[in-house]
Amino acid sequence: MASTMRKPPGKVDILPKEIGSLATGLPPAQPGTLFVMGANGGMRVSPDAGFDVVFGRCEPDVHVCVGPSDPRVSRQHGYITREHSRWVLYNLGKLAIRFPGSRLVLGGHRAELPVAYTPLFIVAPGQEHLLEARIAAGPVTPGPVDLHEVPTYDPDSPEHPDNRGPGADRWQLNPLEKLVLVCLAQRYLRQEPWPQPLTWAQVADELGRLRPGEKWNERRAARIVTGVRMRLSAEVPGLLEEQIPPPIGNALNHNLISALLVRTKLRTRDLNLLGG
């Protein structure tokens, strides 16, 4: 782990808690810039800063605090460093760190971070602690930027970075796709513990009662969701049967829902489509 006592001026910045979630976007930044947010704020680190971001429970000893009131989280639980042009997460603690899609990074192990938004969870029995990471992928914006003054992107805006560029159209859900996916993912949107997708029979039954004149059945619901899953499979791993070791179970739908939640294509307010 590289020394963190010295930082090149202008290449490492503190992010105040008030910036909010990294899921809704980033201020303009050099491609490869790392953003990390915890319980009380975070850090912004340029890719050439030579700076390791240490996270853990003990705020005086880390750059990003996570799980401050849970003694099961290590005082210095891990760090994120730059290796061979990639940002890499190291878990130094006893508790596993969960990536989206249920992938676990155990203590003493490492994992590369994708150039995207990645919610990470330090997994304790009965509780998880969120550490947000996001790596900038957009073009360089010249001139300094005051992070406090940059407006938060609206995920539904055409100007949001996720809604522009190659492949952006595949993430846009038509009204019918959104309706079926909100029904399928409603346990996730209601923040139920250990959520799972509804079964096709449950989806068809609920949509049939919601829209009795539209002849809903299991095959129609599955066909609509499969269309979205196949469309996104070129960009999102874990959406094809051949990528998942048996038994597959709910893995394909779970991975699809997780990807849509991360990209904010499904949001809590969408439950209004089902009547709340």
Side-chain angles (χ1 to χ4, degrees):
M1 184 168 63
S3 170
T4 58
M5 296 303 293
R6 300 172 60 187
K7 68 181 181 72
K11 296 190 175 184
V12 179
D13 296 300
I14 295 174
L15 300 178
K17 181 179 180 179
E18 290 72 24
I19 279 188
S21 174
L22 300 178
T24 55
L26 295 176
Q30 177 185 359
T33 298
L34 172 70
F35 293 77
V36 185
M37 286 291 288
N40 298 318
M43 299 291 293
R44 171 191 182 276
V45 183
S46 297
D48 57 348
F51 186 93
D52 298 335
V53 178
V54 181
F55 60 88
R57 169 172 51 89
C58 186
E59 192 154 22
D61 297 335
V62 298
H63 302 113
V64 180
C65 182
V66 56
S69 60
D70 190 343
R72 296 169 295 184
V73 176
S74 296
R75 295 169 63 86
Q76 294 187 0
H77 203 93
Y79 66 97
I80 301 173
T81 188
R82 187 81 170 170
E83 293 181 356
H84 308 296
S85 301
R86 299 296 299 268
W87 288 104
V88 181
L89 170 84
Y90 281 83
N91 184 356
L92 305 178
K94 295 181 179 179
L95 298 179
I97 298 175
R98 181 173 65 82
F99 274 61
S102 301
R103 176 191 177 190
L104 294 177
V105 180
L106 304 180
H109 290 258
R110 64 189 286 282
E112 291 187 357
L113 294 174
V115 182
Y117 171 72
T118 307
L120 303 164
F121 299 88
I122 297 179
V123 183
Q127 187 175 14
E128 295 187 337
H129 302 282
L130 173 64
L131 177 73
E132 294 183 287
R134 188 159 186 168
I135 299 172
V140 177
T141 299
V145 176
D146 184 349
L147 297 179
H148 296 81
E149 300 301 326
V150 174
T152 301
Y153 282 117
D154 178 356
D156 296 328
S157 169
E159 298 304 314
H160 191 284
D162 287 347
N163 297 330
R164 295 182 292 171
D169 289 347
R170 68 169 62 103
W171 288 92
Q172 304 308 312
L173 304 175
N174 66 42
L176 192 60
E177 291 172 338
K178 175 159 278 193
L179 174 67
V180 179
L181 284 161
V182 168
C183 188
L184 181 73
Q186 62 183 272
R187 292 170 176 160
Y188 299 75
L189 297 172
R190 299 186 198 281
Q191 296 287 280
E192 294 183 10
W194 309 110
Q196 288 290 313
L198 264 62
T199 66
W200 297 126
Q202 290 171 322
V203 171
D205 178 69
E206 182 158 348
L207 293 180
R209 287 184 282 108
L210 184 68
R211 297 187 176 187
E214 296 186 6
K215 299 181 180 179
W216 284 97
N217 56 47
E218 297 177 36
R219 288 197 300 175
R220 184 185 182 195
R223 185 170 61 250
I224 291 171
V225 172
T226 299
V228 177
R229 181 168 58 80
M230 298 303 294
R231 190 169 77 227
L232 296 181
S233 64
E235 184 173 342
V236 180
L239 298 187
L240 300 176
E241 290 187 15
E242 55 266 31
Q243 297 172 335
I244 306 295
I248 293 177
N250 284 330
L252 295 175
N253 284 340
H254 172 81
N255 293 347
L256 174 62
I257 291 168
S258 297
L260 292 169
L261 291 171
V262 167
R263 290 290 288 257
T264 64
K265 298 307 177 184
L266 296 179
R267 305 168 74 179
T268 301
R269 69 185 186 188
D270 294 329
L271 289 169
N272 291 332
L273 296 174
L274 305 178

